[in-house]
Amino acid sequence: MSDPVIRVEGLSKKFCNRLRRALWYGVKDLGSELLLRRRPRDQLRRDEFWALKDVSFEVSPQETFGLIGHNGAGKSTLLKLMNGLIRPDTGSIMVRGRVGALIELGLGFNPVLTGRENIQVNAAVLGFKKSDIKRKMQQIIDFAEIGDFIDAPVQSFSSGMKVRLGFAIAAHLDPDVLLVDEILSVGDSSFRDRCVSRLNNFKEEGGTIVFVSHNSLAVEAICDRVLLLDHGQVVEVGDPSAVVERYETDSRQKSFIAGQSLRLSPQPSSDESVIEIVSCELQDSEAQLRNEFNIGETIEIRLSYHAREEIKRPYFDVALYRDNWPADPISYMSTLEEGFEIESVLGSGSFSCLIHKPNLAPGPYHLSAGVRRTTTTQLGSKWYAPLRPVAKFNVSSSDLRNRMKGRRAASLTRAAPLLLDHRWSWNDRVMAVGDYVPEHDH
């Protein structure tokens, strides 16, 4: 058996969650090193925590090794240790060969330099000669597909352009080990297809890949083995299907309670809260309460509201978020945009949004809902009840894995569509443009 490309033994890394105290600890540690005084590095000081604790594993040549776990589990910290960006507190890490890494968006870029200049700097740091850099330059530019922006400062790049350039640099400078962190969650589907194709070619040429993603299907399709991290500790290492299944099971147990609706605390009485959403239930096509759905399974979002006063022409809005909650939603549905009008509401009632067979990627999702006041965009007059979190649910892939084994890995990395096939109802009456007669709630 060949020697491992990566060997990690008893690796631990701690951080301090207080900036001023962290700076003070840094000064003390530097002083101790200068005075050749050893301090116990396996003990926590005030406000410190273990980002990684006693992690051990090996990665073989030409292996694609996956890292999965919840946000904050220690995945990115582990990649930074492999890349030499930070030092461990205890344990050891050995990586043989040249490392190409795309760990964070724009990491390693000088924002005032152009894209072309950043390629030259990155290549020079890796020890490439000028002739080698010149030979690789056009390949990198062609793969990144950022056009004339290659000669613009990186600080003017969009996030998608940065990740295109970062991946192109990391994958084309002949690394022996490629570290990839969530690259397949950014960019359009065409770019993600080319990334997966490049990863496959890199592996066939003898390269080793460490791959981090929250997309369970992508991890299972691409990786040979997977390591599951939880709060900085190794939970399991082994077959992708078994480890991914455990990860999804643990996530469901921690985050979702099947069939339980989310009850919200009433908002304080104000001009902006004359109506409030008091509960949310998620149902399947058989009207069964669920918080766990399979890929392509119909989801009905049922929300109950109470209007303390009669309000005119309310519009109901629902926003769907992925891991970026509470940032921009991946999908937004509104009765205003679809031309549905209700003359007025008063008292208690309900509305629902039925999403027909959504092609959502596996993982957790968040829902927000609100009641819009009018079409005006003036500050303070847009909402009767502003968008606020109402529920969360999970999309699982466990019962579809056998059917998806033959699919290309690239197709499993595509983001959820922005437009979802859906239908609105108010008080259990389907809303249709042109023939809906509104009624008062009682």
Side-chain angles (χ1 to χ4, degrees):
M1 184 176 180
S2 58
D3 293 334
V5 174
I6 301 173
R7 179 184 286 119
V8 175
E9 296 180 342
L11 192 69
S12 296
K13 180 64 182 177
K14 59 186 174 182
F15 293 108
C16 182
N17 54 22
R18 300 278 183 175
L19 178 59
R20 294 179 65 180
R21 196 176 299 278
L23 294 173
W24 172 237
Y25 288 158
V27 172
K28 289 180 65 177
D29 294 343
L30 180 60
S32 297
E33 290 185 11
L34 292 174
L35 296 173
L36 301 179
R37 294 177 180 174
R38 293 178 174 267
R39 66 171 183 84
R41 301 177 67 88
D42 59 349
Q43 298 177 8
L44 292 178
R45 294 171 288 190
R46 184 178 175 186
D47 294 324
E48 287 186 329
F49 65 95
W50 291 112
L52 292 170
K53 183 64 174 175
D54 196 26
V55 173
S56 299
F57 63 91
E58 293 182 351
V59 181
S60 301
Q62 209 171 347
E63 181 179 22
T64 300
F65 190 81
L67 296 177
I68 60 175
H70 61 81
N71 290 327
K75 304 182 298 297
S76 294
T77 298
L78 183 52
L79 288 190
K80 290 176 183 177
L81 286 162
M82 292 182 191
N83 198 32
L85 296 175
I86 55 178
R87 294 191 303 169
D89 285 296
T90 63
S92 64
I93 182 168
M94 180 279 296
V95 181
R96 291 195 292 115
R98 178 182 288 158
V99 177
L102 187 59
I103 299 175
E104 291 179 3
L105 189 61
L107 186 66
F109 287 156
N110 186 322
V112 299
L113 297 182
T114 66
R116 190 184 302 272
E117 291 167 340
N118 270 285
I119 295 173
Q120 294 170 337
V121 169
N122 276 266
V125 168
L126 290 173
F128 279 82
K129 298 178 181 179
K130 287 187 177 180
S131 59
D132 294 330
I133 298 174
K134 185 176 181 180
R135 178 171 53 86
K136 291 284 185 180
M137 180 68 72
Q138 195 57 48
Q139 296 178 28
I140 295 171
I141 293 173
D142 291 343
F143 189 92
E145 288 187 347
I146 57 176
D148 294 338
F149 278 94
I150 192 65
D151 292 308
V154 166
Q155 63 187 2
S156 67
F157 285 17
S158 67
S159 59
M161 292 164 63
K162 288 179 183 177
V163 82
R164 283 172 179 267
L165 183 60
F167 185 87
I169 293 173
H172 285 81
L173 291 182
D174 298 330
D176 299 297
V177 179
L178 190 59
L179 309 179
V180 183
D181 187 2
E182 289 294 359
I183 177 66
L184 298 178
S185 64
V186 185
D188 56 32
S189 60
S190 174
F191 176 68
R192 287 192 293 272
D193 286 348
R194 288 189 293 116
C195 286
V196 171
S197 177
R198 179 62 187 174
L199 291 178
N200 290 334
N201 292 337
F202 175 76
K203 181 179 178 180
E204 290 173 0
E205 293 167 0
T208 301
I209 303 169
V210 178
F211 179 73
V212 174
S213 178
H214 286 99
N215 188 326
S216 300
L217 283 177
V219 170
E220 192 171 349
I222 293 173
C223 298
D224 301 306
R225 285 191 303 140
V226 176
L227 181 149
L228 172 59
L229 281 173
D230 186 17
H231 294 92
Q233 295 184 306
V234 176
V235 177
E236 185 176 353
V237 184
D239 176 72
S241 296
V243 178
V244 166
E245 180 63 26
R246 178 164 182 177
Y247 169 59
E248 292 185 348
T249 300
D250 290 347
S251 297
R252 290 194 293 269
Q253 291 174 347
K254 291 177 181 178
S255 303
F256 306 104
I257 302 174
Q260 179 176 339
S261 63
L262 176 65
R263 296 285 171 177
L264 303 176
S265 301
Q267 293 180 339
S269 179
S270 69
D271 290 340
E272 294 296 317
S273 60
V274 293
I275 184 173
E276 58 183 302
I277 297 172
V278 296
S279 70
C280 175
E281 294 178 344
L282 304 179
Q283 297 183 359
D284 59 20
S285 57
E286 303 296 327
Q288 298 297 311
L289 294 178
R290 303 265 295 279
N291 279 86
E292 180 81 22
F293 297 88
N294 292 314
I295 293 176
E297 193 171 11
T298 294
I299 303 171
E300 183 171 9
I301 306 163
R302 297 185 61 86
L303 298 115
S304 298
Y305 65 83
H306 181 77
R308 286 183 285 275
E309 303 174 9
E310 183 178 9
I311 58 176
K312 301 289 187 179
R313 289 189 171 84
Y315 299 96
F316 302 117
D317 290 27
V318 172
L320 179 66
Y321 303 82
R322 188 70 192 271
D323 297 328
N324 62 338
W325 181 86
D328 295 332
I330 63 169
S331 187
Y332 197 97
M333 294 158 281
S334 174
T335 58
L336 172 63
E337 304 299 330
E338 291 152 39
F340 299 125
E341 280 200 359
I342 299 173
E343 284 297 326
S344 65
V345 297
L346 176 64
S348 296
S350 65
F351 68 96
S352 71
C353 182
L354 187 147
I355 307 175
H356 180 67
K357 296 183 178 179
N359 185 24
L360 299 175
Y365 290 85
H366 300 262
L367 282 169
S368 290
V371 185
R372 197 180 300 213
R373 180 189 293 269
T374 64
T375 58
T376 181
T377 57
Q378 294 179 0
L379 186 63
S381 61
K382 184 176 180 179
W383 299 97
Y384 283 115
L387 282 172
R388 58 185 296 224
V390 293
K392 56 185 178 180
F393 65 94
N394 193 52
V395 174
S396 172
S397 60
S398 57
D399 68 334
L400 296 182
R401 286 204 169 88
N402 290 332
R403 276 189 276 165
M404 306 201 60
K405 283 181 180 178
R407 295 180 59 183
R408 294 176 58 220
S411 68
L412 306 179
T413 65
R414 293 181 178 138
L418 295 178
L419 297 177
L420 298 176
D421 183 12
H422 62 284
R423 183 190 72 197
W424 291 96
S425 298
W426 177 55
N427 288 339
D428 294 322
R429 294 185 59 181
V430 176
M431 301 173 69
V433 177
D435 61 2
Y436 189 74
V437 181
E439 296 178 352
H440 287 298
D441 295 312
H442 298 286

